[in-house]
Amino acid sequence: MISHLDGRVSAIAPEGAVIEVGGVGLLVQCTPGTLATLRPGERARVATSLVVREDALTLFGFAADDERDVFELLQTASGVGPRLALAMLAVFTPDALRRAVAAEDVTALTRVPGIGRKGAQRIVLELAGRLGPPGVAAGQARQGQLAAAGPTLPGAEPWRDQVRAGLLNLGWQPREADQAIAAVATDVLALSGDAAKGGGDGAKGAGANGDGGAADDAPAEVDVAAMLRAALRKLSRA
């Protein structure tokens, strides 16, 4: 996954900019606010999110990592694709979106072209508590949610991010990827709990990849490839 670009701005168009990195000009779709921070001929750094489709690879660029993280979180809501998520960030700043969702301000969300009242209600319902409070970056909010949820697998965050990137690169939607990862994590934690009840050394169980194996009280390391295979199986059954 391409998380950011750092290079010279070679051109700016109404919907995006071309940033030259290592002699290659990369077209990046941006919000008007992000475009306003770029100047042709000057060096710039933009946070990016790569969206993979059967017929295209599209880079979306943002002035800050938080804006990029909110863009990706928005797409986990039903009916919200990259274009609509970008439109939402063209109308609202990340904190303004957090305030609208926290206050269940459906009317404010309908200001975004393409979002009706029912769509706004669905977005509020599905994103409530996930964007975090105003002033807290999306990544920090996610860490806070994980801490509040209690103990997780050692190294859980790195494997989650790597598996998510793998699924997105294979063409799955962010919402589908997140649901599959959550299901796999639940399975692994359940197996870990069963092993602990079964008495440590003597406990045996199938791993998340279904191949079987010993289960300790808590896995010391997560097999990212196995998690990716397990997530793909979840998606293929959906």
Side-chain angles (χ1 to χ4, degrees), residues 11-237:
I12 294 180
E15 294 184 355
V18 176
I19 298 179
E20 185 176 333
V21 181
V24 178
L26 298 171
L27 176 62
V28 186
Q29 303 295 310
C30 305
T31 64
T34 299
L35 287 176
T37 68
L38 305 177
R39 298 288 183 274
E42 295 184 2
R43 190 179 185 89
R45 180 192 185 280
V46 293
T48 58
S49 178
L50 177 64
V51 175
V52 180
R53 293 288 184 270
E54 291 183 0
D55 58 346
L57 299 175
T58 307
L59 268 177
F60 292 86
F62 309 91
D65 290 349
D66 182 36
E67 195 173 20
R68 184 263 321 280
D69 293 342
V70 169
F71 170 79
E72 294 180 345
L73 262 176
L74 289 172
Q75 293 175 72
T76 65
S78 303
V80 178
R83 296 293 178 184
L84 186 55
L86 194 70
M88 293 174 74
L89 287 167
V91 175
F92 297 101
T93 64
D95 273 355
L97 269 174
R98 292 185 177 102
R99 284 191 291 270
V101 171
E104 300 183 5
D105 192 346
V106 171
T107 301
L109 292 175
T110 58
R111 289 166 46 197
V112 179
I115 295 183
R117 190 166 187 83
K118 288 185 178 179
Q121 291 171 337
R122 184 175 61 250
I123 289 169
V124 167
L125 178 65
E126 296 186 14
L127 295 181
R130 299 185 60 201
L131 293 176
V136 177
Q140 294 173 328
R142 185 179 180 191
Q143 292 292 337
Q145 291 163 3
L146 289 168
T152 59
L153 292 172
E157 274 311 281
W159 80 258
R160 282 177 183 269
D161 291 341
Q162 291 169 24
V163 171
R164 189 177 192 274
L167 293 174
L168 294 180
N169 287 337
L170 289 171
W172 296 98
Q173 296 297 315
R175 178 171 56 85
E176 296 170 326
D178 289 339
Q179 290 173 346
I181 290 169
V184 169
T186 299
D187 290 348
V188 174
L189 288 171
L191 287 169
S192 178
D194 290 344
K197 292 177 183 177
D201 293 341
K204 301 284 184 180
N209 61 354
D211 297 332
D216 298 324
D217 287 347
E221 187 175 345
V222 174
D223 186 336
V224 175
M227 293 300 174
L228 179 57
R229 289 195 297 271
L232 286 169
R233 278 196 290 275
K234 295 283 185 185
L235 288 165
S236 66
R237 298 190 195 113

